[in-house]
C-alpha cells in the first residue's frame, strides 16, 4: 500500500534509534509511520515530518511542528470502498491543512488519541 502513498506503521524503537540525532534530550517517539520514503513521527513534544526529496532521497527536509502550534486536527476513517484513512492538521498561521493518508491497517484512532494527548494539554 505504500506505493499508493498511504502511510503504514513502523516500529517506534527503530524510529527512535534512526532519528535519534533529531530528537531532543529525553524526547520519545510514541508512534511512527512510513509513507514511501517519507516518515511521520509523533513524539511527546512535537509532530516531525521527514520529507525525502529528489530521485535519490539524499536531500531531506525536516518539518518540526510543536503541538502548541496545531490549532485543530481531523481524522477520517477508512471505509468499504475508500481504503485509506486520512489525517488533517491545521497549523497556526496557515489556512490549508497538512494532509496525510494511512492504510486501513493503521489504527487511526490511535493517531487521534496521541494527538489529543499532546495537543489538548
Amino acid at each position: 500500500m505504500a506505493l499508493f502513498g498511504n502511510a503504514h506503521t513502523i516500529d517506534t524503537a527503530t524510529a527512535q534509534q534512526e532519528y535519534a540525532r533529531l530528537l531532543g534530550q529525553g524526547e520519545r517517539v510514541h508512534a511512527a509511520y512510513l509513507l514511501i520514503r517519507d516518515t511521520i513521527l509523533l513524539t511527546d513534544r512535537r509532530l516531525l515530518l521527514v520529507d525525502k526529496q529528489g530521485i535519490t532521497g539524499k536531500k531531506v527536509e525536516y518539518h518540526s511542528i510543536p503541538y502548541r502550534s496545531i490549532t485543530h486536527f481531523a481524522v477520517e476513517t477508512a471505509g468499504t470502498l475508500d481504503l485509506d484513512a486520512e489525517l488533517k492538521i491545521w497549523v497556526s498561521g496557515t489556512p490549508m491543512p497538512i494532509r496525510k493518508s494511512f492504510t486501513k491497517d493503521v489504527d487511526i484512532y490511535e493517531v487521534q488519541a496521541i494527538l489529543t494527548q499532546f495537543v489538548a494539554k
Side-chain angles (χ1 to χ4, degrees), residues 19 21-22 37-38 49-54 56-63:
Y19 295 102
R21 58 188 204 172
L22 297 175
R37 298 183 306 174
D38 298 343
L49 305 174
V50 181
D51 180 13
K52 292 187 179 179
Q53 301 173 354
T56 63
K58 289 188 178 190
K59 182 177 180 180
V60 182
E61 185 172 38
Y62 301 96
H63 297 269

Side-chain angles (χ1 to χ4, degrees), residues 90-112:
W90 284 264
V91 178
S92 179
T94 58
M96 299 302 295
I98 297 168
R99 295 173 180 255
K100 297 295 178 183
S101 294
F102 296 83
T103 64
K104 68 177 182 175
D105 297 331
V106 170
D107 183 356
I108 197 69
Y109 295 106
E110 178 185 44
V111 175
Q112 188 271 339

Side-chain angles (χ1 to χ4, degrees), residues 60-91:
V60 182
E61 185 172 38
Y62 301 96
H63 297 269
S64 179
I65 303 169
Y67 291 123
R68 68 180 176 276
S69 297
I70 297 174
T71 58
H72 67 283
F73 61 90
V75 294
E76 180 181 294
T77 60
T80 305
L81 298 175
D82 184 11
L83 299 178
D84 61 330
E86 188 175 52
L87 170 66
K88 298 176 198 168
I89 298 174
W90 284 264
V91 178

Side-chain angles (χ1 to χ4, degrees), residues 2-3 16 22 25 29 32-33 41 48 52 58 62 71 85 91 109 114 119:
L3 293 176
Q16 182 81 33
L22 297 175
Q25 185 175 7
V29 174
Y33 306 93
L41 302 175
L48 186 60
K52 292 187 179 179
K58 289 188 178 190
Y62 301 96
T71 58
V91 178
Y109 295 106
I114 293 169
V119 172

